[in-house]
Amino acid sequence: MTERSLNSEAQWLKGVGPKVAPLFAKLGLYTVGDVLYHLPRRYEDRTKIPPIKMIRPGQHVTIRGNLRSVSSRPISGGRVIVKAIVDDPTGTVALTWFNQPWIARKLDQYKGEVVAYGLAKEAEFGCEISAPEYELIEDEEDAADFARIIPVYPSTEGLVQKILRRAARAAVEGYLGYAVDPLPPSILKAEMLRPLRWSLREIHEPASDANRLEARKRLVFEEFFYLQVSLAMKRAETQQELGIAFPIQALKEGVLALRHSGIAESPNVETPKNRKAALVVKERRSSHLFEADQEAKREGIPIWDQIHKMLPFELTGAQRRVIEEIWSDMEQPHPMNRLVQGDVGSGKTAVAACTMLAAVRSGYQAALMAPTEILAEQHFATFGKLFEPLGIEVALLVGKQNSRERKKALQLTESGQAKIAIGTHAIIQEGVTFDRLGLAVVDEQHRFGVLQRAALRQKGLGNPDVLVMTATPIPRTLTMTLYGDLELSVIDELPPGRRSIKTHYKPGANRTTVYEGVRKLVEEGRQAYFVCPMVSESEKMQAQAATDLAYRLESGVFKDLRVGLLHGQMKSSEKEDVMNRFRRHELDILVSTTVIEVGVDVPNASVMVIEDANRFGLSQLHQLRGRVGRGDHQSYCILIADARNEDARERMDTMVETTDGFEIAEVDLRLRGPGELAGTAQSGNRDFKIADLVQDGKLLEVARQAALKLIEKDPTLVLPENQGILAKVQERRSQTAVITVS
Ligand code: ADP
Ligand code: MG
């Protein structure tokens, strides 16, 4: 006999054996430990088995009774329906299975009691339960399974619950003693969590619902906790790396001179502050320092005053706060890793511009990468207007440039003549070099993959600061898991004077009225977007749909108006041309696919009609709607949809009721689940085994706080009591490629 441990093979467990082992392997259960952590997906509370006459349609019920008869009846297509009649002293119920003939064979020979669990439905005579899970009560052990809360495990074909339950029980009885709690008593106490052994027992064999919930809480906490510890460690590591210390204080005072930094008075004492100062000195001694100095002196104006002159509006309080948060990162001699979240229209571009100004005034270059050409060009135009009056040159790098334009742009960034570069992913291609890239900004970062962000960072001087911005409001729970290694800033205020967007939801039959409304607004001088229905994932078909819609409108109802068309299959120059005409108000109506989803900013456009809106996800609708409501005019969003099911209805209602992106994201998360929501670029759902991001959001927050506290005290987990945690974190890291945004 080999020594017992959680690593013992699962096949030695009672009821498993070599015949069942392959089925266990299918579920990923190789060891006893695997079995212990194969947790029930739900429970049946058989302490409450109702008499059969009490069951009502629509309830999930457990029934127990005597099997009276079994029949199978062929139906079309060579299929069969198996029907079993079960009764108890109070009544009779039918159990039905569709196309599972072997059930009839199995039940045929059986006379005795059964229990079954499933959804009760109305039937011809009384109730029936279709496709129930069932068990035969053959011996005492089966009977022991009654009158308690029964775990139901995820299973696989050919593996019955009874075997899984037996194995779990054997693991709990025989091996729990070998389970070592990775969490030290201090954490259990602080977070009021149950010990591991207690929790594993109660999750498999709960004595009560309350116990089961407490056990689950402990295990969910643990799952979140290791991830959060891992993320916190990663953040702590980044904070150890050396990066650029931008002289923000000097910029604020309007002078960039060594005498203001007080470095001369810092002797060789190793304090964090001195180390930082020394880095500043090192930076400034570099070849370009002189230039930076000159630049700031020439300007000689405190940076906030420069910003005030640069922007055509006053920043909101939230924008100012976020800029300060970013600057304080930039000031640190470590690379910045910060995420700015701000709902559509909250003014992220201006925030980016201000932080980029600071980089430029410190003698560095700054780059902004946007996901589409339309957006890059729009930013290029905006930044040109802001920066050129200050004598700061801006370069554009997009894929469609001809070789002459490209060469010129490359020369500008390489020589450092252009202090600012705006581009699409063309900016991270080979051959693009920067003279001194100190700050890299990624706009609408959810559109990019991890590798693209890393590539942008690579272009920097040493370890540049990285700022990622996103308008996709994701629930805080997801932010904490997907971006837990980033610092977070939230722009939680919209610029003043914005009128809220009025959203209406209209069935397709009301299209004519909608068109009349649009016409009225156009006659008042406004512009409109029409978003064509989402017909498929294919860009080509999507483009076709937009073309059809545009044709329908311009040759029909809007014959006398100026209608333009925008879709992903058009040449860049065509796209640009259409966008420019729309911006200059040479078009009244722009028919588009979702290519206008991100970033596009035309304040005079005050109405958006979304065709077949129920085909879009909530966050996409929210993004689309964000294209209007950007000017002083009352704006409208009309969702044309025939919501056929609950989900669609709830989505439409949510859009009508709120414009708060975070609220919308919460609903989206609930309706679609985290995998969908996170989008493709983020590889989606973290494979939490037990935890549920929707349901366990609060616990995630608790786990995060606990992790931060732990890492603050013991950044690299060297304390003896934290060795269990360290092992778990390492195990996690080796199993899952941790998503990082660096
Ligand atoms: P987003 O956060 O969606 O990227 P933008 O940066 O495109 O938003 O800004 C949306 C609009 O609001 C732009 O027209 C911009 O000029 C304007 N804007 C930004 N900040 C302010 C402000 N503080 N006051 C007034 N208008 C602002
Ligand atoms: Mg934007």
Side-chain angles (χ1 to χ4, degrees):
M1 250 265 325
T2 47
E3 202 162 324
R4 281 188 168 203
S5 78
L6 295 190
N7 290 325
S8 302
E9 282 177 58
Q11 64 163 317
W12 304 124
L13 286 169
K14 187 177 165 201
V16 183
K19 249 167 85 191
V20 174
L23 293 172
F24 268 49
K26 261 199 196 164
L27 292 172
L29 310 178
Y30 301 96
T31 66
V32 171
D34 293 337
V35 174
L36 269 179
Y37 277 93
H38 187 62
L39 303 186
R41 87 186 133 81
R42 62 180 179 80
Y43 299 84
E44 284 172 31
D45 189 348
R46 292 186 185 161
T47 60
K48 300 184 198 97
I49 294 179
I52 286 175
K53 79 162 184 210
M54 297 300 286
I55 59 180
R56 297 284 172 269
Q59 298 172 327
H60 280 277
V61 288
T62 307
I63 58 108
R64 178 178 184 173
N66 284 301
L67 183 64
R68 290 302 173 203
S69 71
V70 183
S71 62
S72 58
R73 181 162 60 85
I75 53 166
S76 65
R79 293 166 299 179
V80 291
I81 286 184
V82 176
K83 189 172 194 173
I85 303 296
V86 174
D87 69 5
D88 72 2
T90 71
T92 304
V93 67
L95 312 179
T96 59
W97 292 270
F98 181 69
N99 218 24
Q100 299 177 16
W102 60 87
I103 292 178
R105 289 196 288 278
K106 185 168 170 200
L107 294 184
D108 228 11
Q109 306 304 319
Y110 182 75
K111 288 274 167 288
E113 274 195 302
V114 297
V115 299
Y117 173 89
L119 180 64
K121 286 198 211 158
E122 186 111 42
E124 235 171 303
F125 306 100
C127 270
E128 76 175 29
I129 305 177
S130 70
E133 290 179 21
Y134 70 96
E135 256 168 77
L136 311 179
I137 306 178
E138 289 168 305
D139 56 35
E140 272 315 295
E141 194 173 337
D142 296 334
D145 268 354
F146 286 91
R148 59 181 191 99
I149 301 168
I150 294 295
V152 180
Y153 295 93
S155 188
T156 184
E157 204 186 322
L159 188 56
V160 296
Q161 287 295 325
K162 204 194 292 184
I163 292 182
L164 281 163
R165 260 173 227 150
R166 226 179 244 169
R169 186 176 304 161
V172 166
E173 297 308 329
Y175 291 83
L176 214 47
Y178 301 95
V180 180
D181 200 333
L183 297 180
S186 58
I187 287 187
L188 295 181
K189 190 156 169 248
E191 308 301 334
M192 297 194 292
L193 298 169
R194 294 288 196 160
L196 180 65
R197 288 177 196 168
W198 186 93
S199 305
L200 283 175
R201 179 182 292 277
E202 292 293 330
I203 202 96
H204 288 288
E205 299 173 355
S208 68
D209 267 347
N211 280 9
R212 174 174 67 76
L213 291 174
E214 269 195 71
R216 182 174 181 281
K217 177 181 155 196
R218 136 92 209 206
L219 296 169
V220 169
F221 173 91
E222 213 180 340
E223 195 165 35
F224 284 147
F225 184 65
Y226 301 135
L227 168 66
Q228 292 301 328
V229 169
S230 155
L231 291 167
M233 285 175 87
K234 187 152 186 302
R235 278 171 64 196
E237 276 162 30
T238 314
Q239 278 156 20
Q240 296 302 308
E241 284 172 29
L242 288 186
I244 303 164
F246 289 92
I248 299 294
Q249 192 49 42
L251 289 174
K252 285 185 180 170
E253 288 166 21
V255 272
L256 226 194
L258 292 174
R259 62 197 124 85
H260 282 266
S261 63
I263 292 164
E265 292 95 66
S266 317
N268 301 323
V269 192
E270 269 283 280
T271 67
K273 206 171 158 204
N274 284 350
R275 261 209 309 279
K276 181 172 132 192
L279 257 148
V280 176
V281 173
K282 212 169 111 213
E283 276 304 327
R284 294 202 186 147
R285 282 200 190 117
S286 72
S287 61
H288 290 262
L289 186 73
F290 180 69
E291 190 193 314
D293 246 3
Q294 292 299 324
E295 179 124 26
K297 271 188 195 134
R298 178 153 47 80
E299 206 42 54
I301 304 172
I303 189 135
W304 275 122
D305 294 345
Q306 295 184 44
I307 287 171
H308 192 72
K309 271 209 310 203
M310 176 176 82
L311 294 174
F313 44 71
E314 287 293 322
L315 290 168
T316 62
Q319 283 171 316
R320 280 178 165 268
R321 173 177 48 76
V322 169
I323 291 168
E324 289 283 5
E325 285 167 9
I326 296 166
W327 279 353
S328 80
D329 276 6
M330 287 173 69
E331 205 163 21
Q332 303 300 313
H334 311 292
M336 165 169 73
N337 255 318
R338 186 172 280 274
L339 170 69
V340 172
Q341 255 187 347
D343 212 341
V344 276
S346 60
K348 290 182 292 297
T349 317
V351 168
C354 294
T355 54
M356 287 163 86
L357 178 67
V360 172
R361 290 306 191 210
S362 311
Y364 287 89
Q365 288 169 296
L368 175 72
M369 179 163 73
T372 65
E373 271 179 14
I374 294 177
L375 198 50
E377 252 146 32
Q378 181 181 289
H379 283 327
F380 178 62
T382 310
F383 279 56
K385 265 186 241 147
L386 297 179
F387 287 104
E388 253 133 48
L390 304 179
I392 298 172
E393 199 164 331
V394 185
L396 176 69
L397 269 163
V398 288
K400 59 127 192 239
Q401 284 166 319
N402 65 32
S403 63
R404 198 176 47 81
E405 289 169 324
R406 181 176 157 83
K407 216 166 139 197
K408 177 88 197 342
L410 291 183
Q411 192 268 327
L412 285 175
T413 55
E414 185 173 1
S415 66
Q417 191 184 330
K419 297 290 179 229
I420 289 182
I422 311 283
T424 54
H425 46 267
I427 221 168
I428 50 173
Q429 267 152 20
E430 234 176 283
V432 182
T433 48
F434 288 88
D435 179 36
R436 288 168 63 74
L437 180 62
L439 172 66
V441 183
V442 180
D443 192 17
E444 307 293 348
Q445 72 78 36
H446 60 286
R447 290 295 186 104
F448 290 100
V450 177
L451 294 178
Q452 287 163 310
R453 292 188 292 264
L456 184 57
R457 162 168 286 172
Q458 289 294 314
K459 301 276 179 195
L461 187 72
N463 242 334
D465 282 355
V466 175
L467 185 66
V468 299
M469 310 198 291
T470 183
T472 309
I474 54 177
R476 204 174 138 61
T477 49
L478 267 193
T479 312
M480 281 190 290
T481 51
L482 289 171
Y483 304 120
D485 55 339
L486 302 181
E487 310 301 318
L488 179 65
S489 288
V490 183
I491 310 180
D492 52 6
E493 180 185 349
L494 291 181
R498 289 280 166 78
R499 300 238 214 140
S500 76
I501 303 165
K502 290 193 176 146
T503 303
H504 300 285
Y505 156 50
K506 302 277 179 203
N510 290 12
R511 230 180 229 107
T512 324
T513 347
V514 172
Y515 290 174
E516 276 164 20
V518 171
R519 172 178 290 280
K520 213 165 134 243
L521 288 169
V522 169
E523 279 163 4
E524 286 170 17
R526 302 289 79 74
Q527 289 162 280
Y529 294 105
F530 273 78
V531 180
C532 74
M534 182 86 159
V535 289
S536 83
E537 290 291 309
S538 140
E539 280 253 4
K540 237 198 190 127
M541 295 187 55
Q542 210 45 51
Q544 190 55 48
T547 311
D548 291 350
L549 179 62
Y551 177 77
R552 211 154 38 79
L553 296 179
E554 77 189 332
S555 63
V557 274
F558 299 136
K559 211 182 282 177
D560 54 326
L561 302 182
R562 299 165 300 176
V563 178
L565 169 67
L566 184 72
H567 61 69
Q569 297 274 294
M570 285 159 55
K571 282 209 218 92
S572 304
S573 57
E574 292 171 350
K575 279 193 254 178
E576 192 185 339
D577 185 50
V578 170
M579 262 335 282
N580 283 336
R581 275 163 50 213
F582 192 64
R583 260 185 215 118
R584 289 196 300 261
H585 200 171
E586 293 165 19
L587 294 172
D588 302 306
I589 289 172
L590 185 64
V591 177
S592 169
T593 59
T594 52
V595 292
I596 54 152
E597 181 187 333
V598 284
V600 169
D601 186 32
V602 181
N604 191 50
S606 70
V607 55
M608 169 172 283
V609 179
I610 304 179
E611 295 275 349
D612 263 355
N614 51 338
R615 298 209 186 198
F616 294 96
L618 261 182
S619 56
Q620 206 170 17
L621 288 173
H622 178 67
Q623 286 279 322
L624 285 167
R625 179 170 62 181
R627 299 311 108 217
V628 295
R630 299 185 151 242
D632 305 327
H633 315 288
Q634 176 60 55
S635 291
Y636 304 89
C637 177
I638 318 293
L639 307 167
I640 299 187
D642 298 305
R644 283 175 210 93
N645 55 38
E646 279 283 301
D647 265 23
R649 253 223 103 78
E650 186 168 357
R651 273 183 293 155
M652 296 307 122
D653 289 345
T654 306
M655 288 300 294
V656 171
E657 276 157 26
T658 179
T659 49
D660 180 334
F662 287 94
E663 215 174 291
I664 289 171
E666 296 290 348
V667 179
D668 211 14
L669 176 67
R670 187 156 50 71
L671 292 181
R672 289 202 293 164
E676 286 289 318
L677 197 60
T680 44
Q682 266 111 25
S683 88
N685 200 2
R686 294 213 168 241
D687 45 349
F688 290 118
K689 267 174 127 169
I690 322 167
D692 169 0
L693 282 175
V694 181
Q695 187 188 331
D696 300 318
K698 281 222 178 73
L699 208 48
L700 174 58
E701 182 84 52
V702 171
R704 180 171 175 80
Q705 292 312 323
L708 292 175
K709 230 177 357 187
L710 175 75
I711 293 306
E712 197 177 314
K713 270 199 299 210
D714 185 8
T716 51
L717 300 182
V718 290
L719 294 181
E721 65 162 19
N722 294 332
Q723 290 319 293
I725 298 174
L726 180 64
K728 283 290 183 183
V729 168
Q730 283 166 343
E731 189 183 312
R732 206 194 148 87
R733 278 191 178 179
S734 66
Q735 278 169 0
T736 49
V738 174
I739 296 167
T740 59
V741 186
S742 54

